[in-house]
Structure formats: C-alpha cells, structure tokens
Amino acid sequence: MAVHHETLTVETRTKVSTIDITARLRAAVTRSKVTNGICVVAVQHTTAGVFVNENADPAVQKDLLSHLGKLVPRDEEFAHAEGNADAHIKSVLTGNDVSLAIRDGELVLGRWQGVYFADFDGPRERHAIVTVIGD
Amino acid sequence: MAVHHETLTVETRTKVSTIDITARLRAAVTRSKVTNGICVVAVQHTTAGVFVNENADPAVQKDLLSHLGKLVPRDEEFAHAEGNADAHIKSVLTGNDVSLAIRDGELVLGRWQGVYFADFDGPRERHAIVTVIGD
Amino acid sequence: MAVHHETLTVETRTKVSTIDITARLRAAVTRSKVTNGICVVAVQHTTAGVFVNENADPAVQKDLLSHLGKLVPRDEEFAHAEGNADAHIKSVLTGNDVSLAIRDGELVLGRWQGVYFADFDGPRERHAIVTVIGD
C-alpha cells in the first residue's frame, strides 16, 4: 500500500472566490503512482472550503458565491468580532474536505465536474493537504 | 490491501428526489470482501448529492427537500442560464461524497441511518462511484 | 496496511451544542500506530453532525449554531411529527462525516482548526466511529 501527501498552495486575489484545483489534483495523483484508491483533499483553514461542482459555465460559481452571500450575509450581527463570522459559517456549509475515487491511475470525476477551492475571507495564501492512498 | 470500485446507477423519476442506496452499498461492501476499512461514495454529477439521514419516517426526506427549496428557490434570478442553478447550489450544500466505516465486513451505520442519493435536477440516469478500501 | 476503529462517545448537555473532539481524535490516531494515512470520523445519528472549524474564539461556534437556527428554524411547519425535523436538516447541511490526513503519526490540521461534534437534538449520549487507515 502507498500513502502520498502533498501540500497544495492557493493564492487568492479577492475577498471571496473559488479556484479550480482539478488539474493540480490530477498531477498529484500521477505523482503518487497509486493505481486504485482514494484521494482526500483537506483545507487547512476555517474560513475556506473545498467542493466539487460544474467546470463548464463560470456563472455557476458566481451564482453559488452570490447565493451563499444571501444565506449568510457578511454584515449580519455576529458575536465573533473579527468581521469574518460569515466566512466561518460558509466553510461549514460547503465543507472543507472532499474524498474522490482513483481508478486506473486517474481521479474519477464526472464529465462536468471540477474540484474547487473556495476562499470566503481572502485575499490570502491558502493551503490544502492532498492525500492519496491505495495500491 | 484491497481496493474495490463499483459504479452505481440510479434512475430518478421526478425533478427533485432522494433515493435510499443503503442496501446497494451493503451489497458492494460484501462483494469487495473487505473486512475492515472505509467506503467512499462519490456522485458523478454537479446537480446531485449524497448524504446520510433518517431511514424510518419518509417525512424527513420530504421536509429536507422542501426546506432546501426554500433556502435555494428555483425561480430566483441566477446568472447560469440553464435554469438549474439552484440544483448546483443544493449539491454543494448537501455535499456529493460520503465516507463510511467498514467493520467486520459490514458498513457501519447507526440504527436510523440510511444513505441517500439526491437528485436536484431530474429525472435522469445518474451515477455514483463506490470505492471500498481496506484489508 | 493497518485499519483501526474506535467508537467515540459524546455526552451532550443541552438541546443544541458543539463539542471539540480534536484531542480525542489525536489520541485515537496515536493508539492506531498509523504513521501515514487518513482518519475518517462518521457520526452514527441523523440529528447530529461533525465538522472542522475555528478552535480559538468560542463565539465562532455560537455564531454558527445561531445562524443555523435562522436558516432552519425549529418552529417551522414540518411533516416529520417528532419536532426535530430542523435537526435532521442541519445534520445534512453541516455533514456527518469528516476525512483528515495523518502524516508522521499526527492528524494534520491547520493552526486554528478543531474538529467539532455537533448535536442538534440533545441532550443525549451520542456516538461517532473513528477509522484510521494507513501504513
């Protein structure tokens, strides 16, 4: 059995954004030399998330971030005094880890699926740990 | 170590629905011959999800879908022009992968837990990949 | 390869609460003797969740629970007659499983990250299964 870790660094440029990390995950899977197994992506921050969604029309990411902003408005009254309570809540709603299958040396994703890193309190340098485990 | 993949096909019949896939996952675990390990279910679509919730009272699934419809109304104004932006957002909120323990050859679930495939933009033929990894 | 399971028991004391289980997960990882791999935490209930979020300012947990209460009000009209439909929905929104990396014998978490068990329908004795898999 092989276990392969990589740290993925993401530089975000705006307050709220999503970044397609699919190609970087595919490269990590190739480097791991794992043929069959799983890949876990775990964000190392509490105001960021990771999820799988459409990679074709950028409007989907825009709608998602806009709607999350309606569900958790930044200017609502919160007890946490740093002004980013909304980002903590969005991180829990989207989740901050994703598990995917690896088959025949490839990450298994549907035709329209991409893996997105979401920053809800940028811009910052962000990190996720990618773990590939299999044979 | 063993890694076992199966593709699960789900036929949905209405626009929005959840389908209990627990028995099919248990069968996949049995076929994998894995005694101890984990099982990852990853949906291959961006307008569908998978989650664990109550398997006793069907009203729970009804309440869940109804409430998701309130949190993300289908007729809200979205940039994505295909009319299913709400389904993409619901997929992110519920999540589209689940990881479960396998112990003594059995999927470990609580007494009232079932695993549900959720389609937010049906009816369609849908797919999920089930990966069992362990010894 | 090694697979190590532990059942984690959590006693909650109020209707809605989050409990930091990070130290207990770290201890489980140590007991597993796994050096590199992953750790999966799966809640065994349908009105509870598990997620990763800030471990520094307790106000973050307070804001999160309060905001979830706004997104899914307990007194809304639901079909499920047990009075805890909101808790089932919150469990799906937060998710009830988490996957984390284990590197050099340690759970990999960012500086401000803790793992929280969330009870949305307490007080009760609750259980989660912790699975450590790796070499």
Side-chain angles (χ1 to χ4, degrees):
Chain A
M1 196 204 55
V3 179
H4 174 87
H5 297 294
E6 293 196 14
T7 299
L8 202 104
T9 301
V10 178
E11 300 273 356
T12 64
R13 294 174 186 219
T14 52
K15 187 73 178 171
V16 176
S17 61
T18 60
I19 290 178
D20 187 341
I21 58 171
T22 315
R24 298 176 66 187
L25 294 182
R26 289 196 186 282
V29 169
T30 301
R31 281 189 291 268
S32 77
K33 298 190 173 64
V34 164
T35 309
N36 285 290
I38 60 168
C39 173
V40 175
V41 185
V43 169
Q44 301 295 290
H45 310 274
T46 60
T47 53
V50 66
F51 58 81
V52 174
N53 214 264
E54 176 167 327
N55 62 3
D57 178 6
V60 171
Q61 299 297 315
K62 191 183 156 189
D63 285 334
L64 172 65
L65 293 178
S66 161
H67 198 77
L68 281 173
K70 287 181 197 173
L71 291 176
V72 195
R74 195 181 304 162
D75 56 4
E76 200 162 304
E77 200 174 317
F78 292 112
H80 183 53
E82 292 178 19
N84 62 356
D86 67 298
H88 288 290
I89 297 169
K90 287 167 186 164
S91 169
V92 172
L93 291 179
T94 60
N96 36 39
D97 68 284
V98 159
S99 297
L100 299 163
I102 298 166
R103 190 174 49 193
D104 303 329
E106 299 278 351
L107 208 57
V108 185
L109 286 169
R111 183 175 177 184
W112 306 107
Q113 287 186 313
V115 186
Y116 288 86
F117 184 97
D119 195 340
F120 301 117
D121 191 31
R124 300 204 209 187
E125 182 181 301
R126 298 293 206 168
H127 301 280
I129 181 155
V130 181
T131 303
V132 178
I133 180 169
D135 57 16
Chain B
M1 196 203 53
V3 179
H4 174 86
H5 297 295
E6 293 195 15
T7 300
L8 202 105
T9 301
V10 178
E11 300 274 354
T12 64
R13 293 171 186 221
T14 52
K15 187 72 176 172
V16 176
S17 62
T18 60
I19 290 178
D20 186 342
I21 58 171
T22 316
R24 298 177 68 187
L25 295 182
R26 289 195 185 283
V29 169
T30 300
R31 282 189 290 270
S32 77
K33 298 191 173 63
V34 164
T35 310
N36 286 290
I38 61 170
C39 173
V40 174
V41 185
V43 170
Q44 300 294 292
H45 310 274
T46 61
T47 53
V50 65
F51 58 82
V52 175
N53 214 263
E54 177 167 327
N55 62 2
D57 178 7
V60 170
Q61 299 297 316
K62 191 183 156 190
D63 286 334
L64 173 64
L65 293 178
S66 162
H67 198 78
L68 282 172
K70 288 183 197 172
L71 291 176
V72 195
R74 195 181 304 161
D75 57 2
E76 200 162 305
E77 200 174 316
F78 292 112
H80 183 53
E82 293 177 18
N84 62 357
D86 67 297
H88 288 289
I89 298 169
K90 287 167 187 164
S91 170
V92 172
L93 291 180
T94 60
N96 36 38
D97 69 286
V98 159
S99 298
L100 299 163
I102 297 165
R103 190 176 49 194
D104 303 330
E106 298 279 351
L107 207 57
V108 185
L109 287 169
R111 183 174 177 184
W112 307 107
Q113 288 186 312
V115 185
Y116 289 87
F117 184 97
D119 194 339
F120 301 118
D121 190 30
R124 300 204 208 187
E125 182 181 300
R126 299 293 208 169
H127 302 279
I129 180 158
V130 181
T131 304
V132 178
I133 179 169
D135 58 15
Chain C
M1 195 204 54
V3 179
H4 174 86
H5 296 294
E6 293 195 15
T7 299
L8 202 103
T9 302
V10 177
E11 300 273 356
T12 64
R13 294 173 186 221
T14 52
K15 188 72 177 172
V16 176
S17 62
T18 60
I19 290 178
D20 186 343
I21 58 171
T22 316
R24 298 176 67 186
L25 294 181
R26 289 194 185 282
V29 169
T30 301
R31 281 189 291 269
S32 77
K33 298 191 173 66
V34 164
T35 308
N36 286 289
I38 60 169
C39 173
V40 175
V41 185
V43 169
Q44 300 296 291
H45 310 274
T46 61
T47 53
V50 65
F51 59 80
V52 174
N53 214 265
E54 177 168 327
N55 62 3
D57 179 7
V60 170
Q61 299 297 316
K62 191 184 156 189
D63 286 334
L64 172 65
L65 293 178
S66 161
H67 198 77
L68 282 172
K70 287 182 198 174
L71 291 176
V72 195
R74 196 180 305 162
D75 56 3
E76 201 162 303
E77 200 173 317
F78 293 111
H80 183 53
E82 292 178 20
N84 62 357
D86 67 298
H88 289 289
I89 297 169
K90 287 168 187 165
S91 170
V92 173
L93 291 180
T94 60
N96 37 38
D97 68 284
V98 160
S99 297
L100 299 164
I102 297 166
R103 189 174 51 194
D104 304 330
E106 298 279 350
L107 207 57
V108 185
L109 286 169
R111 183 175 176 183
W112 307 107
Q113 286 186 313
V115 185
Y116 288 86
F117 184 98
D119 195 339
F120 301 118
D121 191 31
R124 299 205 210 186
E125 182 181 302
R126 299 293 206 169
H127 302 279
I129 181 157
V130 182
T131 303
V132 178
I133 180 168
D135 59 14

